[in-house]
Amino acid sequence: ASTGFGDACLVAKQVLEAKQGTRFVQVTLGGWDMHGDIYGANGNIAVGNNIFTLGRTFDAGLSGLIADLKAGGLFEKTLVVVAGEFGRTVGALSAQRGRDHFMQQFALMAGGGIK
């Protein structure tokens, strides 16, 4: 199924493929601020997602982007960076069954010659 994030990843690949001198493309998937019911049916009420639906959207879009970049010979020339502005608390869930902000976070880099 097509998603806004997946479509944006496709456009990012097309922009790079056009070889018009693009140096930076940003694709955003918002709605990760899940202070309550992170694993439940309600999830993030503001965007109607929980960690599973957002994770599925993210995984499909990012893996599609990387596969497209590889197929088009652009992966080794393109650095893909995935990061957020903060991490999420670890351990037991909050009283609202969610995760709060945390100073340590996850980041991913792929392509661009990264080993």
Side-chain angles (χ1 to χ4, degrees):
S2 178
T3 64
F5 179 70
D7 292 346
C9 288
L10 177 60
V11 170
K13 189 267 307 185
Q14 291 168 339
V15 166
L16 294 169
E17 207 170 49
K19 298 183 181 172
Q20 297 295 309
T22 301
R23 310 259 312 158
F24 179 88
V25 178
Q26 179 175 333
V27 179
T28 303
L29 175 59
W32 293 96
D33 205 9
M34 297 180 191
H35 293 279
D37 202 20
I38 191 170
Y39 301 111
N42 294 326
N44 184 344
I45 303 277
V47 294
N49 288 321
N50 64 28
I51 195 73
F52 302 115
T53 57
L54 269 179
R56 200 169 19 259
T57 298
F58 175 76
D59 287 347
L62 181 62
S63 64
L65 173 62
I66 289 173
D68 285 349
L69 291 172
K70 286 181 177 181
L74 293 170
F75 187 68
E76 290 303 316
K77 300 174 196 171
T78 304
L79 179 62
V80 177
V81 179
V82 176
E85 75 267 26
F86 53 79
R88 304 312 267 164
T89 52
V90 296
L93 296 177
S94 69
Q96 294 79 31
R97 297 183 346 260
R99 303 254 179 226
D100 293 321
H101 301 183
F102 197 60
M103 69 177 123
Q104 289 144 348
Q105 69 167 338
F106 163 87
L108 172 140
M109 287 190 252
I114 297 289
K115 300 285 182 205

